[in-house]
Amino acid sequence: MMSRVTKGMIAGFAAALAVGALEAAQLWAGPWVVSFPRLLTVIMGTETVVWTGWAAHFAVGTFILGPLFGILCPRMPGETPETKGMAFAIGAFVLMGLTIAPEGGVGLFGLRAGFPSLAWLILTHAVFGAVMGAVYGRLVGRDWRVHHARDDIHLAH
């Protein structure tokens, strides 16, 4: 049986992968708006080394947000793991908007980059939360089913 932190890490990686796909499509077709990996390269001072922002994006999702969600999920508001993930993503968005966006030079919540960037950041955080919650919920459900299947076997003897 996996710990909540491990499940959170897996869910955070899956969510970072989903958002990464959206970010890559947006960069390939545009870019129309400020991307989170781009903000991270600016903060790290590595604007010319694009992969550093992507690596940081996956590291934050996998090693910070995912485990934190795994720890907080049982205490979060919402009926389903997906709604809990969305609630968590709102908090992550507010934290990002107050710290990372201004540090990256796009102002509070990315507003200096324009409304499309704000809408994009909200959308990608919502997708991140929904995917993370869904994957985490599946992992929890799988462990619950395995655990209870073992109990049923023991009861039969």
Side-chain angles (χ1 to χ4, degrees):
M1 199 145 81
M2 281 187 274
S3 72
R4 290 189 318 207
V5 170
T6 302
K7 290 175 193 145
M9 288 175 70
I10 293 167
F13 178 77
L17 195 60
V19 170
L22 289 175
E23 293 281 13
Q26 185 268 139
L27 288 171
W28 178 77
W32 300 309
V33 294
V34 172
S35 71
F36 187 68
R38 175 75 176 137
L39 282 176
L40 294 174
T41 61
V42 170
I43 291 170
M44 294 185 297
T46 59
E47 296 96 322
T48 59
V49 187
V50 177
W51 69 265
T52 59
W54 286 93
H57 163 73
F58 279 97
V60 168
T62 304
F63 301 114
I64 297 172
L65 296 178
L68 190 58
F69 180 72
I71 292 166
L72 296 176
C73 185
R75 299 170 195 80
M76 301 235 7
E79 295 294 320
T80 67
E82 293 83 3
T83 57
K84 290 176 184 243
M86 297 286 282
F88 182 85
I90 290 168
F93 171 75
V94 169
L95 186 62
M96 182 277 313
L98 294 173
T99 59
I100 294 171
E103 188 69 25
V106 293
L108 286 175
F109 299 103
L111 287 172
R112 195 176 303 150
F115 180 77
S117 288
L118 172 64
W120 180 255
L121 291 170
I122 291 170
L123 171 73
T124 55
H125 277 81
V127 168
F128 184 89
V131 171
M132 184 169 58
V135 170
Y136 184 82
R138 299 310 179 279
L139 293 171
V140 168
R142 187 193 74 187
D143 276 358
W144 186 87
R145 285 187 303 277
V146 167
H147 177 73
H148 286 285
R150 279 192 229 134
D151 288 349
D152 291 343
I153 291 169
H154 293 302
L155 292 175
H157 290 105

